[in-house]
Amino acid sequence: MFFVKKVIVPFLICLTALTMTGCGNSPASGTPAEPTSAAYTGTQEATASGMGEVKVTITFDKGVVTACDVDAANETPDIGQLAAPTLAKAIVEKNAPVVDSVSGATVTSDAVVKAAKACFDAAGIKY
């Protein structure tokens, strides 16, 4: 019993404390990301493959997304093409390339996120 009280219990307490060290508060999923490259102003464009080719154009002003255009003309008309404006709006509102997928348009959503990430990367803005 001495071994359990003097060795095992303190060990488990330390282990628990070390495990929790990496835990912390992170912003809510809807919270816009803070720009890391406040100096970048300009427009970036990238493409990715969805059902067809998806082109994303993002305009930044001092590291903040001010506009996003998603050209999904090659996507399924009643699915991916309808999802494009929703995804573009979400990128602007969240100020980040990683946004929730539109239900039923997962392939297009994934392509938009991939192209948006490439735009952020080219601008030197972390997300």
Side-chain angles (χ1 to χ4, degrees):
M1 195 63 148
F2 172 80
F3 183 75
V4 171
K5 287 184 181 178
K6 296 292 183 177
V7 178
I8 299 294
V9 171
F11 174 75
L12 291 175
I13 290 170
C14 289
L15 184 62
T16 303
L18 287 172
T19 304
M20 293 178 67
T21 302
C23 299
N25 293 334
S26 60
S29 63
T31 304
E34 291 295 320
T36 57
S37 178
Y40 183 78
T41 297
T43 302
Q44 293 294 329
E45 184 178 285
T47 59
S49 295
M51 297 305 284
E53 186 176 80
V54 174
K55 182 168 110 178
V56 175
T57 305
I58 301 178
T59 302
F60 299 92
D61 183 16
K62 296 179 183 165
V64 176
V65 177
T66 58
C68 178
D69 178 63
V70 176
D71 179 357
N74 297 319
E75 298 297 286
T76 308
D78 293 335
I79 301 171
Q81 288 180 12
L82 289 179
T86 302
L87 295 163
K89 181 180 176 188
I91 289 168
V92 173
E93 288 176 353
K94 199 170 179 187
N95 194 46
V98 181
V99 295
D100 292 336
S101 293
V102 173
S103 181
T106 305
V107 173
T108 300
S109 298
D110 290 347
V112 169
V113 167
K114 183 176 181 179
K117 284 180 177 181
C119 290
F120 272 72
D121 290 343
I125 299 172
K126 293 185 181 179
Y127 45 90

